[in-house]
Amino acid sequence: MGLLNSIVSAMGERNPELGAQARLLPALIEQVNRFPGGLPGLIEKFQQAGLGGVVASWIREGRNEPISPDQLHSVLGGDVLNDLAKSSGLDADAVLSNLSIMLPSLVDQATPDGEAGLQRVLGGVTNLLGAQRGQTPDGV
């Protein structure tokens, strides 16, 4: 069992309410990693959907603006949503509900220095996912 799976299991055992978010987290990381352009590509998709101000609040210092499950669905689309549901074992409504809570905080924490922090975190996520798959950070 990899590090991420251990963390997910521990979160679910300690607080059942966090169990759904814990199951969704690895699926979300994998989805962002596969998303065209990674996290910057996902952020661009939010901007194209007219939610640039919302996602910008998650990157810069200050209060994170909320996002509704309906807004998330319109940005992510059915295919991404279905992939997240299948990977996490949650239904689509639970995925959207939990993402509306998780995503602002995750993007905020992933970008402590704004855009500069975004690039640094992407390298860390890539390394973490490679370690989960038993690969070295450079994919060898």
Side-chain angles (χ1 to χ4, degrees):
M1 180 181 277
L3 174 62
L4 191 55
N5 290 334
S6 297
I7 293 168
V8 166
S9 294
M11 286 175 64
E13 289 172 6
R14 291 192 180 130
N15 185 341
E17 292 179 5
L18 290 178
Q21 291 180 10
R23 291 193 335 237
L24 182 57
L25 183 59
L28 178 60
I29 291 171
E30 183 68 27
Q31 188 66 44
V32 169
N33 194 47
R34 287 192 326 241
F35 197 85
L39 186 55
L42 183 61
I43 289 170
E44 184 178 330
K45 188 156 175 122
F46 277 90
Q47 293 167 336
Q48 291 170 351
L51 296 168
V54 172
V55 78
S57 76
W58 306 345
I59 295 170
R60 67 176 182 258
E61 288 188 33
R63 186 181 138 277
N64 291 333
E65 291 184 30
I67 189 160
S68 74
D70 289 338
Q71 289 171 312
L72 279 170
H73 188 267
S74 70
V75 172
L76 298 177
D79 290 341
V80 170
L81 179 59
N82 289 335
D83 285 348
L84 288 170
K86 183 179 178 183
S87 297
S88 67
L90 301 172
D91 64 45
D93 288 337
V95 167
L96 288 170
S97 176
N98 283 293
L99 278 181
S100 69
I101 296 166
M102 296 170 63
L103 202 54
S105 180
L106 289 172
V107 172
D108 186 20
Q109 292 175 32
T111 56
D113 301 322
E115 294 296 327
L118 180 61
Q119 296 304 316
R120 191 172 51 250
V121 168
L122 289 175
V125 168
T126 300
N127 288 340
L128 176 62
L129 289 172
Q132 287 293 305
R133 293 184 188 127
Q135 301 173 351
T136 59
D138 61 6
V140 177

